[in-house]
């Protein structure tokens, strides 16, 4: 039995923790035992991981790179659990896995770049480079992430491995459920529903403000559409104020955080994500599983997920006019929406399932175990 210790930052409902749930469900339990350390837990998502028989240990935030109190907590877990593999993701998780795995002589250290660090300082890049030194492998979750690792950090290509993200298949939503939600949200049968899903914590990243501006142009051009934004955070109040200032508040639904996102995807006709940077963009894969055409910015991992003019449109970040123009094309062409949606669904089935993701991780674990663990 190979003992694996995963270290990540917060567990709420984001992509990194969802992939840990996939690992908890699908890693071969005859070969692997899994334990997870996180800094904070919000909501009940950690309970879903625990239901799979995986212990989740919350230790509190890592306040600095050399937060000795937190490092001591990690070292204590390592001493008791004696993992053969330690796997860190997100900067805090990478920090704790690399430092403590090295100090405690864990045979196999793996670190994972989960972001698209466009704004990371030279000091941050140097620190990340140092943290990869003890690692046997450095995972990038998208071609954009592996490009950063090999080109910016200059890590040997043989040490870097691409393992693209994967998600659980969404539940099938019944037509009655969809109709009820549309009625509840006051969406008329003739209206095209443009949707987006994401945290509203930092507009510098998700750029919902750009999407709202572009949508205002559609309304000005008399396109019968509703914009449904699923997500919550400190920026939400500003977005509501922006919609009011543009006099389009009656055409926008701020749905807030929704645990059952599949229900909301079922009412969308078009899915949009206009971030300034994204390492991958898991919501794009989710939308593709719902056979939705995509409009996304040409950044990070998104430009690899969306096939231009095949599964959707790509636009330059911050370009509100481009966003509005492409949305108008999609709103006016149902056949094109269907065509993009079907091709996206086929691509998602082939590339973005959680089964494929866990299979790739498990293969990496076994390859490294075969090489570095004494039988």
């Amino acid at each position: 039995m190979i003992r694996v210790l995963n270290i990540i930052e917060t567990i709420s409902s984001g992509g990194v923790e969802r992939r840990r749930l996939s690992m908890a469900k699908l890693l071969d339990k005859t070969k692997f035992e899994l334990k997870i350390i996180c800094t904070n837990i919000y909501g009940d998502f950690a309970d879903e991981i625990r239901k799979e028989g995986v212990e989740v240990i919350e230790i509190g935030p890592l306040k600095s790179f050399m937060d000795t109190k937190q490092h001591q907590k990690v070292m204590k877990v390592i001493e008791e659990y004696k993992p053969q593999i330690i796997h860190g993701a997100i900067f805090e998780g990478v920090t704790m896995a690399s430092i403590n795995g090295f100090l405690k002589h864990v045979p196999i250290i793996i670190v994972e770049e989960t972001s698209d660090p466009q704004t990371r300082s030279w000091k941050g890049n140097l620190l990340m480079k140092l943290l990869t030194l003890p690692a046997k492998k450095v995972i990038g979750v998208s071609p954009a992430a592996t490009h950063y690792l090999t080109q910016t950090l200059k890590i040997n290509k043989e040490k870097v491995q691409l393992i693209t993200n994967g998600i659980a298949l969404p539940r099938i939503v019944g037509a009655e459920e969809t109709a009820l939600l549309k009625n509840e949200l006051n969406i008329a049968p003739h209206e095209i529903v443009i949707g987006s899903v994401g945290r509203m914590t930092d507009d510098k990243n998700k750029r919902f403000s750009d999407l709202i501006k572009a949508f205002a142009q559609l309304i000005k051009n008399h396109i019968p559409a509703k914009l449904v934004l699923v997500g919550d955070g400190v920026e939400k109040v500003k977005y509501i104020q922006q919609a009011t200032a543009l006099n389009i508040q009656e055409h926008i639904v701020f749905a807030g955080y929704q645990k059952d996102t599949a229900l909301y995807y079922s009412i969308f006709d078009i899915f949009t994500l206009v971030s300034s940077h994204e390492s991958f963009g898991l919501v794009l894969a989710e939308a593709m599983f719902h056979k939705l055409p995509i409009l996304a910015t040409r950044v990070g991992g998104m430009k690899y997920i969306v096939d231009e003019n095949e599964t959707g449109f790509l636009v330059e970040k911050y370009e509100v006019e481009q966003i509005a123009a492409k949305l108008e094309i999609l709103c006016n062409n149902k056949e094109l929406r269907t065509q993009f949606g079907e091709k996206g669904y086929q691509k998602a089935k082939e590339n973005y399932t959680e089964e494929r993701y866990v299979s790739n991780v498990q293969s990496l674990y076994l390859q490294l175990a075969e090489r570095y663990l004494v039988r």
Side-chain angles (χ1 to χ4, degrees), residues 80-92:
E80 294 174 351
Y81 185 52
K82 296 180 174 58
Q84 289 106 332
I85 298 176
I86 190 166
H87 180 170
I90 309 182
F91 199 81
E92 291 81 356

Side-chain angles (χ1 to χ4, degrees), residues 91-109:
F91 199 81
E92 291 81 356
V94 167
T95 300
M96 291 186 281
S98 180
I99 292 175
N100 297 293
F102 175 74
L103 293 175
K104 286 300 178 180
H105 307 290
V106 177
I108 299 169
I109 299 172

Side-chain angles (χ1 to χ4, degrees), residues 2 8 12-13 27 99 110 123 133 146 148 161 165 173 247 250 253 265-266 291 304 319 321 330 375:
I2 300 172
I8 60 176
S12 55
S13 60
L27 272 180
I99 292 175
I110 300 170
K123 291 181 181 179
L133 294 179
T146 57
Y148 163 77
Q161 179 142 344
N165 289 331
V173 179
N247 198 31
E250 292 183 2
V253 175
Y265 281 111
S266 77
K291 299 186 178 182
Y304 300 100
E319 293 294 334
E321 296 291 337
L330 289 171
R375 291 184 179 276

Side-chain angles (χ1 to χ4, degrees), residues 198-364:
R199 295 173 180 170
M200 297 180 175
T201 54
D202 182 7
D203 192 55
K204 290 180 181 179
N205 175 207
K206 296 299 182 184
R207 303 299 301 177
F208 285 113
S209 60
D210 290 341
L211 179 56
I212 292 170
K213 290 175 188 174
F215 180 72
Q217 293 190 27
L218 297 187
I219 298 303
K220 184 179 179 181
N221 293 340
H222 306 291
I223 303 295
K226 272 269 173 56
L227 178 62
V228 178
L229 301 178
V230 178
D232 214 338
V234 294
E235 293 290 320
K236 181 180 175 182
V237 172
K238 294 180 182 178
Y239 297 143
I240 294 173
Q241 292 172 345
Q242 181 186 12
T244 303
L246 292 168
N247 198 31
I248 57 171
Q249 66 272 22
E250 292 183 2
H251 301 277
I252 300 184
V253 175
F254 292 93
Y257 169 77
Q258 298 293 332
K259 186 175 181 180
D260 183 12
T261 55
L263 178 58
Y264 281 79
Y265 281 111
S266 77
I267 68 170
F268 297 164
D269 296 295
I270 301 165
F271 186 81
T272 60
L273 189 64
V274 296
S275 308
S276 62
H277 58 278
E278 289 282 350
S279 64
F280 186 81
L282 275 175
V283 290
L284 297 185
E286 291 178 353
M288 289 160 75
F289 276 117
H290 286 275
K291 299 186 178 182
L292 292 173
I294 307 294
L295 171 67
T297 37
R298 191 180 281 104
V299 298
M302 299 202 293
K303 60 181 177 284
Y304 300 100
I305 296 175
V306 179
D307 295 333
E308 181 80 85
N309 298 317
E310 293 289 330
T311 64
F313 290 134
L314 289 168
V315 298
E316 300 304 319
K317 62 182 179 181
Y318 313 132
E319 293 294 334
V320 172
E321 296 291 337
Q322 287 186 27
I323 297 168
K326 294 299 185 182
L327 282 176
E328 187 161 347
I329 290 171
L330 289 171
C331 285
N332 290 329
N333 194 330
K334 183 176 181 180
E335 183 178 342
L336 184 63
R337 296 199 303 269
T338 301
Q339 177 184 317
F340 283 175
E342 288 291 342
K343 289 186 176 180
Y345 176 69
Q346 292 303 320
K347 181 174 182 178
K349 280 205 308 180
E350 293 171 9
N351 297 281
Y352 303 130
T353 64
E354 65 176 352
E355 288 81 6
R356 192 273 316 150
Y357 170 78
V358 175
S359 175
N360 288 357
V361 171
Q362 181 166 296
S363 294
L364 176 62

Side-chain angles (χ1 to χ4, degrees), residues 128-129 132 138 148-160:
M128 185 66 181
K129 173 78 180 259
T132 66
V138 183
Y148 163 77
L149 294 169
T150 58
Q151 301 303 309
T152 301
L153 299 190
K154 305 298 182 184
I155 300 172
N156 190 311
K157 290 182 179 181
E158 293 183 359
K159 191 173 182 176
V160 174

Side-chain angles (χ1 to χ4, degrees), residues 39 59-75 95-96 99-100:
T39 56
I59 64 169
L62 185 73
K63 296 179 181 178
S64 69
F65 173 70
M66 293 306 295
D67 188 339
T68 55
K69 183 179 179 181
Q70 298 306 89
H71 287 306
Q72 287 171 357
K73 293 178 183 178
V74 175
M75 284 193 278
T95 300
M96 291 186 281
I99 292 175
N100 297 293

Side-chain angles (χ1 to χ4, degrees), residues 2-7 19-20 23 27-28 31-35 84-88 108-112 137 139 161 163 357-373:
I2 300 172
R3 292 181 297 279
V4 181
L5 178 62
N6 261 259
I7 307 181
R19 292 194 297 278
R20 269 60 200 170
M23 291 167 64
L27 272 180
D28 187 340
K31 296 178 180 177
F32 298 98
E33 180 184 343
L34 183 64
K35 192 185 295 281
Q84 289 106 332
I85 298 176
I86 190 166
H87 180 170
I108 299 169
I109 299 172
I110 300 170
V111 298
E112 182 175 338
K137 280 287 183 179
I139 296 172
Q161 179 142 344
I163 300 182
Y357 170 78
V358 175
S359 175
N360 288 357
V361 171
Q362 181 166 296
S363 294
L364 176 62
Y365 286 173
L366 290 173
Q367 290 168 14
L368 295 176
E370 184 71 25
R371 183 172 179 181
Y372 295 106
L373 297 184

